[in-house]
Amino acid sequence: MSLSNGRHTLAIPGPSIMPDRVLQAMHRAAPNIYTGELIDITASLVPDLKAVAQTSGNVAMYVGNGHAAWEAALANTLNRGDKVLVPATGRFAHGWAEMAQQMGIEVEILEFGMRASVDPAQLEEALKADKDHKIKAVLSVFVDTSTSAKSDTAAIRAAMDAALHPALLMSDCIACLACDAFEMDAWGVDVMVTGSQKGLMTPPGMCFVFFNEKAEAAKSQVDYVSGYWNWSPRANPQGYYQYWCGTAPTHHVYGLREALNMIVHEEGLPAVFNRHAVLARAVWAAADAWATEGPFELNITDPAARSHAVTSVRIGAPAGTQLRNWLTENAGVTLGIGLGMEDETDPNADGYFRIGHMGHLNSHMLLGTLGSIDAGMKALGIPHGSGALEAASRVCAVRG
Ligand SMILES: *Cc1c(COP(=O)(O)O)cnc(C)c1O
């Protein structure tokens, strides 16, 4: 017997759970890509995406995943041989840095390890040390999905300003746009990248690069931007095909339209951010109770430095992998693997897991995941404190 039959819950940090409405909007015959509603629907995505990013700047849409957005941001703003500074709070910062290196960009890493957010004072020091302004951009990951560390982006901008440094501020919001509140313009972010498959509740395959005038000015200093990555025609298309540099990702357009209806026009962004904040607190409340006994520990100790979209847990090897497997096989819940915490061949890599709590998620879904984790620890004999579900349900016992 297995208790896993029933609707499966994917609690990994992306792709996230897709609303049935999004899937149903995509379930249709291929539309005409030359005239008709697809053209208007595509145009209607732009203001809503900007609303989610809280920017009056530009957005270029691409057929691609998060890595494509990383590459697009770099390709439009930097030359080979330029230098970037990467304050690193987890695997994804290193991933973006590696992509920059592959493009011939020189990378300086400012390492904050796997358990902390960016310290703006250290960033300011590093920028002050760059007297000749060789650093052209700071590549910062707002929420690093591997560690669940969230960095204070306004404070990063303030540190750059205090250092009187002209570098562009680029922000990776792939993990958490429409989950953790992000204010591109107010926080002084010049380039922001995100993807469709996490907070935006749409299948992987679309990504977005937002950019302001300062980033546009930096682009004019770039010797060569290849046609596909060039963000200008995409952000200001003269013909429909220029949005995508070719055929539109037709079904994603319908899916994202429905997701943005739900996020921007029905629930509304303040409520969306608040829902994520409360659900994250429910996870932390359960975690605090579990942690009173046994190995369960949140990766990020400071609540202010924790994401509202994903939570990284340390539980010791092999309990992390055992628990994940138990939940999939016996409860119909898939948790995220620990990412970048240890070398993959190191047996200690089995001591971690992540809970994705992003996008299309309500309290009963989250309480089900937390209850399943609790059951798994009991089944496997992993010592843990009691009262986790009680604590989480108290957090969820709020009126909207
Ligand atoms: C998921 C993610 C990425 C990578 O996105 P892909 O679609 O897998 O290329 C990059 N950065 C962050 C912060 C992410 O969460």
Side-chain angles (χ1 to χ4, degrees):
M1 185 212 60
S2 165
L3 298 179
S4 68
N5 292 307
R7 181 170 283 222
H8 199 95
T9 291
L10 190 65
I12 67 174
S16 64
I17 292 171
M18 289 174 283
D20 289 344
R21 279 175 58 187
V22 169
L23 297 174
Q24 281 154 7
M26 299 177 76
H27 192 91
R28 62 175 69 222
N32 191 346
I33 58 166
Y34 299 106
T35 59
E37 65 174 14
L38 187 72
I39 284 79
D40 297 334
I41 293 175
T42 302
S44 78
L45 300 176
V46 170
D48 287 347
L49 287 167
K50 291 184 191 177
V52 178
Q54 306 195 44
T55 184
S56 61
N58 303 285
V59 61
M61 303 186 281
Y62 293 83
V63 177
N65 59 16
H67 283 67
W70 276 346
E71 181 155 339
L74 302 172
N76 280 280
T77 51
L78 297 161
N79 285 305
R80 283 178 80 104
D82 280 351
K83 184 173 174 183
V84 295
L85 179 66
V86 182
T89 60
R91 183 68 208 110
F92 286 93
H94 288 278
W96 202 1
E98 283 155 18
M99 182 149 267
Q101 260 159 353
Q102 287 159 15
M103 294 170 75
I105 294 162
E106 192 189 329
V107 172
E108 179 181 335
I109 304 266
L110 186 59
E111 184 60 63
F112 293 99
M114 298 299 277
R115 303 201 69 174
S117 55
V118 172
D119 173 6
Q122 287 184 48
L123 183 77
E124 186 179 331
E125 285 311 305
L127 290 170
K128 278 184 178 155
D130 177 42
K131 293 205 168 44
D132 304 334
H133 294 167
K134 287 219 159 57
I135 294 168
K136 299 295 177 214
V138 173
L139 311 187
S140 126
V141 177
F142 179 37
V143 165
D144 200 301
T145 325
S146 59
T147 56
S148 62
K150 174 161 78 178
S151 293
D152 182 342
T153 304
I156 290 173
R157 164 50 71 194
M160 294 173 69
D161 291 348
L164 303 174
H165 201 289
L168 294 174
L169 174 55
M170 300 201 198
S171 185
D172 171 348
C173 292
I174 300 171
C176 61
L177 194 75
C179 306
D180 283 287
F182 181 83
E183 300 177 44
M184 178 165 171
D185 291 357
W187 295 351
V189 173
D190 301 305
V191 178
M192 186 270 274
V193 297
T194 196
S196 55
Q197 78 268 32
K198 297 183 185 178
L200 294 176
M201 313 189 299
T202 302
M206 267 178 132
C207 64
F208 311 96
V209 180
F210 298 80
F211 57 95
N212 67 10
E213 277 173 19
K214 187 175 166 192
E216 190 65 348
K219 182 170 185 274
S220 66
Q221 305 300 309
V222 173
D223 303 333
Y224 166 77
V225 182
S226 66
Y228 189 80
W229 293 120
N230 192 345
W231 67 30
S232 302
R234 291 171 184 267
N236 285 300
Q238 304 304 306
Y240 182 70
Y241 73 97
Q242 288 186 321
Y243 274 116
W244 311 105
C245 194
T247 303
T250 47
H251 290 67
H252 279 72
V253 170
Y254 284 101
L256 183 64
R257 179 62 269 158
E258 193 64 18
L260 289 168
N261 288 346
M262 295 170 74
I263 293 168
V264 179
H265 299 293
E266 294 172 22
E267 186 174 2
L269 277 169
V272 169
F273 295 139
N274 198 29
R275 173 168 52 83
H276 282 87
V278 173
L279 294 177
R281 286 204 298 278
V283 175
W284 307 340
D288 288 345
W290 284 323
T292 56
E293 207 185 312
F296 192 103
E297 188 189 353
L298 287 184
N299 185 50
I300 301 293
T301 46
D302 175 6
R306 291 179 192 153
S307 171
H308 295 167
V310 54
T311 297
S312 295
V313 174
R314 313 168 76 90
I315 195 166
T321 299
Q322 284 176 342
L323 193 61
R324 276 194 305 104
N325 290 342
W326 190 93
L327 261 79
T328 303
E329 288 159 18
N330 300 286
V333 176
T334 299
L335 298 171
I337 58 168
L339 199 63
M341 303 304 256
E342 310 277 354
D343 191 285
E344 272 170 44
T345 57
D346 185 332
N348 288 324
D350 289 324
Y352 305 85
F353 68 89
R354 291 174 301 159
I355 308 167
H357 36 95
M358 52 179 62
H360 190 54
L361 191 77
N362 57 25
S363 68
H364 104 259
M365 296 159 82
L366 182 71
L367 290 169
T369 295
L370 296 174
S372 301
I373 293 171
D374 197 76
M377 289 197 285
K378 287 177 168 57
L380 294 167
I382 301 168
H384 59 281
S386 60
L389 295 173
E390 172 76 21
S393 73
R394 275 185 202 287
V395 175
C396 292
V398 288
R399 284 184 59 131

